[in-house]
Amino acid sequence: MIYIIMGVSGCGKSTLGAVLSEKLGWPLYEGDDYHPQENIEKMARGEALTDQDRLPWLLKLHEIIQRERSSGSDALVVCSALKRLYRQILLNGSKALAASSSQDQEIQPSTSTGVFFLFLHGDYDLIYQRMVARRGHYMKADLLRSQFDALEPPLDDENVLSLDISRSITDMAMVVEKHINRLKTTPAVF
């Protein structure tokens, strides 16, 4: 299984990922580590990334997801995945881009891929305060509004488990562990 921990900057993706990685013994791929240097510099200047800026980053994360899936491994991937198209790229790579450029065709995320999105969501003011308080991150709190503006919350057909960040990290991790256990004990339907 692959869990992509998604949401706007400052919602606790990396913290939840680290806790889950330690509890489950799964590798954690921190999306921020795969941004091209140009993206990091742009965000550090307070400039929002464009879809074009994000494309190489999303394709790199797609490669990691595919590699882990191909090997039959479990893994955690931290990625904002703000838009439906971004989530489709994470799942389908460049095929999602071809489908999005076609007027009548859209790749729908598969509900049987073994890839699940953990959508961390919460109040703008709470997340803004967290971002102001954190140190050493290149993403400026002033960019949070652009992330909320770009956010397309995932739909049920995207294998999503929504987690309200007003809950503690421990509580959210327990919900995820229950989800995993339920999936592992439920027989596959063919």
Side-chain angles (χ1 to χ4, degrees):
M1 281 184 274
I2 309 292
Y3 280 85
I4 300 170
I5 306 169
M6 62 160 291
V8 297
S9 184
C11 69
K13 298 181 300 288
S14 297
T15 303
L16 179 61
V19 167
L20 287 171
S21 178
E22 185 174 317
K23 282 180 161 255
L24 301 170
W26 294 7
L28 174 64
Y29 297 93
E30 173 57 65
D32 286 346
D33 295 342
Y34 297 92
H35 268 297
Q37 187 61 35
E38 301 82 39
N39 288 6
I40 293 169
E41 290 169 4
K42 190 171 186 178
M43 288 183 280
R45 290 192 304 267
E47 298 174 36
L49 297 179
T50 65
D51 289 351
Q52 199 62 38
D53 293 330
R54 288 185 176 99
L55 186 57
W57 173 63
L58 293 167
L59 290 171
K60 178 65 178 166
L61 292 175
H62 166 73
E63 290 172 14
I64 291 167
I65 292 165
Q66 286 306 106
R67 183 185 70 225
E68 292 296 327
R69 287 178 67 207
S70 296
S71 70
S73 298
D74 297 318
L76 301 158
V77 177
V78 173
C79 175
S80 55
L82 297 175
K83 295 183 180 182
R84 185 172 178 95
L85 176 60
Y86 301 169
R87 296 185 293 274
Q88 290 176 347
I89 293 168
L90 290 171
L91 296 175
N92 303 298
S94 57
K95 291 180 207 165
L97 295 171
S100 72
S101 64
S102 171
Q103 295 290 345
D104 53 43
Q105 181 184 357
E106 178 183 355
I107 292 179
Q108 297 295 322
S110 171
T111 56
S112 62
T113 63
V115 178
F116 300 88
F117 290 95
L118 300 176
F119 175 41
L120 277 60
H121 60 89
D123 177 68
Y124 176 88
D125 292 328
L126 172 62
I127 297 171
Y128 184 82
Q129 291 307 314
R130 287 180 178 184
M131 289 183 73
V132 168
R134 73 180 178 183
R135 301 285 174 246
H137 197 281
Y138 54 80
M139 179 73 170
K140 304 292 183 208
D142 294 344
L143 289 175
L144 182 59
R145 177 54 55 201
S146 70
Q147 292 227 319
F148 268 88
D149 291 346
L151 178 63
E152 296 171 2
L155 304 174
D156 290 340
D157 71 341
E158 293 183 85
N159 276 349
V160 62
L161 178 61
S162 292
L163 300 167
D164 187 329
I165 65 162
S166 65
R167 299 176 76 171
S168 71
I169 291 291
T170 302
D171 285 348
M172 288 190 289
M174 284 190 334
V175 170
V176 175
E177 287 180 288
K178 286 178 184 175
H179 187 258
I180 292 167
N181 290 334
R182 191 169 52 249
L183 290 170
K184 288 186 175 185
T185 59
T186 303
V189 178
F190 296 97

